[in-house]
Amino acid sequence: MTSPTPAPGTPYGTLPAASPLPQRRPISLPRLAQMREAGERITMLTAYDATFAAVADAAGVECILVGDSLGMVCQGLSSTVGVTLETMCYHMASVSRGVRRVQGTAWLIGDLPFGSYHESPEQALRSACQLMQAGAHMVKLEGGGWTAPTVRFLVERGVPVCAHLGLTPQTVHALGGYRVQGKGEEAAAQLRRHALELQDAGAAMLVLEMVPAQLAASLTTELAHCHTIGIGTGQGTAGQVLVLHDMLGMNLGKMPRFVHNFMQDAGSIKGAIEAYVHAVKDGRFPDDKLHAW
Ligand code: KIV
């Protein structure tokens, strides 16, 4: 095979004129609120390293979550309980560098791991500062009731907070397994109370994991200032999140039934993530038939 003869003047031929970088608007809390008001669904995906984060950003994902699911996905742990703040900061910094290297625009969320916010609001603030210094724009913490004062304490000090209710993986041992939450009148009423308290405390986002679709949809209507992001909760939330490796069909354990393998029909990882983004935006994912609870 012969290579093309370089044009005179440069070793690689005539260089094309530098094309301007496409203008993309950075994702911010006001931008997410605008999207919601316009009825556009918010997309979120986990990522744990620079390259995957850059690809997710380029594929149009608005929010990248450095989830403590990295304990299971990257570290081979059997739950998220063993993940440390130091590990979270390491992955957070990698993701942040990856996104910045491609001049990305994604909103970056970091999970506060088990034990890093449970003692006191002051401990939560110290942990949140470390995650934000590693690149997070927002921190996520699990649970309701006792967490509301902590959320208020963080928000008052300039830390945006995403709450997480329903199946909260850090308390898997207390919950007795990875099972649907908020079923039955009493459980649903408690979840609703916790969600409203978290909004009142200033949480700007709320991940709802494995709760009945009807409950998630009605909470979404009630929470005007807190964007609900569903996983295993059906169509009715303001946005959707999946664990990256799950939606690429790579799972060391049992694939949750609400996950779709977007890699199946895609020619590349970026293509699979773009397909996820489009499917969420068009309302083709999630499939409510797979959310019978
Ligand atoms: O850690 C994580 O990946 C999460 C998502 C499942 C929402 O919390």
Side-chain angles (χ1 to χ4, degrees):
M1 203 171 84
T2 54
S3 38
T5 316
T10 83
Y12 307 110
T14 309
L15 295 174
S19 50
L21 285 167
Q23 290 296 308
R24 299 174 63 200
R25 293 166 72 187
I27 302 296
S28 59
L29 287 177
R31 175 83 192 105
L32 292 172
Q34 268 174 8
M35 283 176 60
R36 183 166 176 201
E37 211 167 303
E40 181 177 350
R41 291 187 175 91
I42 299 165
T43 57
M44 186 188 291
L45 206 54
T46 67
Y48 316 105
D49 69 23
T51 306
F52 274 109
V55 171
D57 184 280
V61 170
E62 282 104 16
C63 303
I64 295 179
L65 169 66
V66 182
D68 59 359
S69 50
L70 65 84
M72 295 157 97
V73 172
C74 305
Q75 297 182 299
L77 300 173
S78 59
S79 77
T80 59
V81 175
V83 177
T84 64
L85 183 59
E86 193 186 357
T87 301
M88 288 307 305
C89 289
Y90 172 87
H91 287 274
M92 189 73 243
S94 305
V95 162
S96 172
R97 281 192 295 267
V99 169
R100 274 187 284 130
R101 240 178 90 174
V102 293
Q103 299 194 345
T105 59
W107 178 251
L108 304 183
I109 305 163
D111 259 341
L112 288 172
F114 186 63
S116 72
Y117 57 96
H118 298 65
E119 280 170 26
S120 63
E122 287 79 5
Q123 185 214 15
L125 180 63
R126 281 193 297 278
S127 304
C129 287
Q130 286 192 47
L131 260 187
M132 292 185 80
Q133 281 156 2
H137 301 133
M138 173 179 244
V139 301
K140 178 162 84 59
L141 52 80
E142 296 184 5
W146 69 273
T147 56
T150 299
V151 170
R152 188 179 299 281
F153 189 84
L154 293 176
V155 172
E156 281 173 350
R157 284 156 183 79
V159 179
V161 176
C162 174
H164 185 155
L165 292 177
L167 170 59
T168 44
Q170 291 175 6
T171 44
V172 60
H173 300 309
L175 295 175
Y178 296 100
R179 47 183 84 212
V180 182
Q181 302 296 314
K183 264 178 122 174
E185 246 174 68
E186 213 175 297
Q190 189 191 57
L191 205 142
R192 180 174 172 274
R193 193 172 59 250
H194 286 168
L196 292 171
E197 283 168 6
L198 288 162
Q199 171 175 262
D200 187 52
M205 243 186 233
L206 169 64
V207 167
L208 287 171
E209 182 162 356
M210 284 181 72
V211 304
Q214 224 182 340
L215 175 62
S218 69
L219 281 176
T220 301
T221 310
E222 282 185 78
L223 300 173
H225 307 294
C226 180
H227 314 312
T228 54
I229 307 291
I231 174 162
T233 56
Q235 281 274 343
T237 47
Q240 295 290 328
V241 59
L242 281 179
V243 168
L244 172 71
H245 292 59
D246 285 353
M247 57 82 75
L248 293 177
M250 301 189 297
N251 183 312
L252 296 177
K254 193 167 156 251
M255 193 67 87
R257 79 164 198 240
F258 54 81
V259 172
H260 178 73
N261 177 354
F262 285 90
M263 197 62 203
Q264 250 164 12
D265 304 312
S268 67
I269 288 172
K270 183 165 177 250
I273 299 175
E274 281 168 348
Y276 163 70
V277 170
H278 286 128
V280 171
K281 301 267 179 210
D282 301 350
R284 282 176 292 116
F285 179 82
D287 180 348
D288 268 347
K289 288 198 288 298
L290 303 178
H291 296 85
W293 46 72

